[in-house]
Amino acid sequence: MLSLTILFGLKSFAQETGNDSYRIQRLLIYNQKGEVLLEKNDFGWMTPALRHNSKTTIKDGLMNLASEYGVKVSSPKITGIFMFMSDYKSISQFRQHYSCNFIDGGLKVPENKKDVQWFSISKAIEMMSLPETKAPLVIRDMTKHLLYYPEIIWGGTFLLSKKDGKISYKTVENFYPLN
């Protein structure tokens, strides 16, 4: 148990000291009914995400992410590239969003996740907006925009602030089309 605590402590330290590129890639997976896959984790309901720090291609990383949920998917397509600036960290963080379609498989809950389910677009947004959600609302708002306008590749920049442990955001560059 002590070794696990030390391991997680060292990992956390490495992330806080800038040894981590902190590139997050989110995957919108749609089924044949037009529903989107959400995971429930300690922060609430959101789309599956990959913290991309390994030497792997974007496509391989995202396909491996989908397989963790028991699904085979079509080749992911970029849907958004966003930047988070912060008034409490010295680094900027990129968020890339991709979409793909479910091809085959049966849902499974990966380790470290609480649940996974398919939701209609409106229900997915509702689930990401629950009062107990701890994730910054900017994640919900970016996802919502991508779900409402899936035919456009979006960009945007957001300034994150932290007060009393809660993260809020301001829009620096509103959503704009990249294509």
Side-chain angles (χ1 to χ4, degrees):
M1 183 68 158
L2 179 60
S3 60
L4 283 175
T5 304
I6 292 170
L7 176 64
F8 285 116
L10 289 173
K11 183 176 179 184
S12 176
F13 176 75
Q15 291 170 356
E16 292 174 3
T17 59
N19 294 335
D20 186 351
S21 66
Y22 214 84
R23 273 180 237 134
I24 303 292
Q25 296 167 323
R26 293 198 163 276
L27 190 57
L28 298 165
I29 304 173
Y30 294 94
N31 68 14
Q32 292 86 346
K33 297 178 189 175
E35 297 169 320
V36 66
L37 182 68
L38 294 185
E39 66 172 41
K40 185 176 185 183
N41 59 40
D42 291 339
F43 298 100
W45 287 97
M46 57 189 69
T47 56
L50 170 67
R51 190 167 181 159
H52 201 121
N53 289 317
S54 62
K55 291 184 179 182
T56 185
T57 66
I58 293 170
K59 183 177 178 182
D60 286 347
L62 294 171
M63 298 302 263
N64 288 335
L65 175 63
S67 72
E68 290 178 20
Y69 294 83
V71 297
K72 183 178 177 186
V73 296
S74 63
S75 185
K77 307 286 187 227
I78 187 80
T79 58
I81 302 172
F82 303 99
M83 178 179 280
F84 288 175
M85 297 185 303
S86 171
D87 62 8
Y88 60 94
K89 287 185 182 179
S90 61
I91 61 169
S92 296
Q93 305 167 15
F94 284 97
R95 298 292 190 267
Q96 300 167 343
H97 293 248
Y98 296 83
S99 68
C100 59
N101 294 311
F102 170 82
I103 294 175
D104 191 25
L107 283 185
K108 70 177 185 180
V109 180
E111 281 187 47
N112 75 349
K113 305 299 178 199
K114 296 180 177 188
D115 197 3
V116 293
Q117 291 184 39
W118 296 106
F119 292 104
S120 68
I121 302 298
S122 60
K123 186 68 174 177
I125 293 165
E126 179 184 327
M127 297 306 287
M128 291 185 288
S129 304
L130 293 173
E132 62 267 19
T133 298
K134 296 176 189 171
L137 293 178
V138 66
I139 296 170
R140 177 209 55 204
D141 294 345
M142 288 184 309
T143 304
K144 179 179 173 180
H145 201 80
L146 298 171
L147 292 170
Y148 282 162
Y149 308 102
E151 68 286 348
I152 298 171
I153 300 170
W154 293 98
T157 303
F158 307 94
L159 176 64
L160 304 181
S161 299
K162 188 185 281 189
K163 185 176 181 181
D164 300 325
K166 184 151 176 81
I167 297 174
S168 61
Y169 79 96
K170 292 180 183 175
T171 302
V172 175
E173 288 180 317
N174 207 354
F175 297 106
Y176 57 92
L178 294 172
N179 59 341

